[in-house]
Amino acid sequence: MWSELRERVAQYNSRTSKMSDVEKSHGWTVRDIPDQSGRIVVVTGANSGLGYEAALALAAAGAHVVAAARNEEKADEIESLLIKSLKTGRRQRALSWQLRTACDLSRLWQGQGRGDEALTLLQSIYDQFTEGLNTADLIHAGALLEGLRANSMDRVASAARGH
């Protein structure tokens, strides 16, 4: 999945580097998007049209793009691709790849009310890191884990109160 996205971003960059003078005369182009590294962007309708183009442009600028699905079928497709990506990362013993994919899958599951599964998956991968804990990916994963734990504790406290 990541290689497919990288290929699409490369194609997008190639296409935008050949902009005509007419396109450039409108003032602002995707080349004017500042560096988006370290930012998470949610794009709805990213499977086609303007949403797709926006997702590609933001990914090319370094953003971590989350494509919000409008229907269950698309969410299932995204989940399937993420699970495939996770398996590929495991097979290649690419721990950072696994972490990034686990973060994406955890956010998807969290949105589906599957926070405990998300917490278990992400924690199991995060715990394998012994150094580099101050890198952007691990800081992001740590923050996501904190949110998942807080949601889990809220559910436990609510259940204990009988709500």
Side-chain angles (χ1 to χ4, degrees), residues 45 47 67-78 108 112:
N47 59 320
R70 293 184 182 181
N71 64 48
E72 198 171 320
E73 183 181 307
K74 290 192 187 301
D76 289 344
E77 182 180 342
I78 290 169
L108 177 66
Q112 296 173 339

Side-chain angles (χ1 to χ4, degrees), residues 3-123:
S3 61
E4 181 181 324
L5 179 59
R6 275 191 225 103
E7 182 179 321
R8 287 183 182 173
V9 168
Q11 290 170 353
Y12 180 82
N13 284 336
S14 173
R15 196 172 70 236
T16 59
S17 68
K18 300 173 186 166
M19 297 174 95
S20 69
D21 289 336
V22 172
E23 290 171 305
K24 292 176 185 173
S25 71
H26 285 50
W28 193 87
T29 70
V30 294
R31 293 174 157 247
D32 297 315
I33 297 173
D35 181 28
Q36 298 297 304
S37 297
R39 293 190 175 177
I40 300 170
V41 179
V42 178
V43 178
T44 58
N47 59 320
S48 65
L50 186 57
Y52 177 77
E53 293 296 326
L56 286 178
L58 290 164
H64 176 86
V65 177
V66 177
R70 293 184 182 181
N71 64 48
E72 198 171 320
E73 183 181 307
K74 290 192 187 301
D76 289 344
E77 182 180 342
I78 290 169
E79 180 178 10
S80 176
L81 288 170
L82 289 170
I83 290 170
K84 182 179 176 183
S85 176
L86 187 61
K87 288 178 181 178
T88 301
R90 286 179 177 154
R91 192 172 52 252
Q92 295 182 0
R93 297 191 174 150
L95 195 53
S96 291
W97 181 344
Q98 292 174 57
L99 181 71
R100 288 179 179 172
T101 302
C103 284
D104 293 342
L105 189 54
S106 293
R107 278 193 302 278
L108 177 66
W109 285 350
Q110 184 180 29
Q112 296 173 339
R114 298 165 59 190
D116 290 339
E117 290 175 76
L119 178 60
T120 300
L121 170 68
L122 187 54
Q123 189 71 60

Side-chain angles (χ1 to χ4, degrees), residues 110 114-120 144-160:
Q110 184 180 29
R114 298 165 59 190
D116 290 339
E117 290 175 76
L119 178 60
T120 300
L144 182 53
L145 281 167
E146 286 180 31
L148 290 167
R149 279 190 214 104
N151 288 343
S152 181
M153 294 306 293
D154 288 346
R155 282 193 306 278
V156 169
S158 181

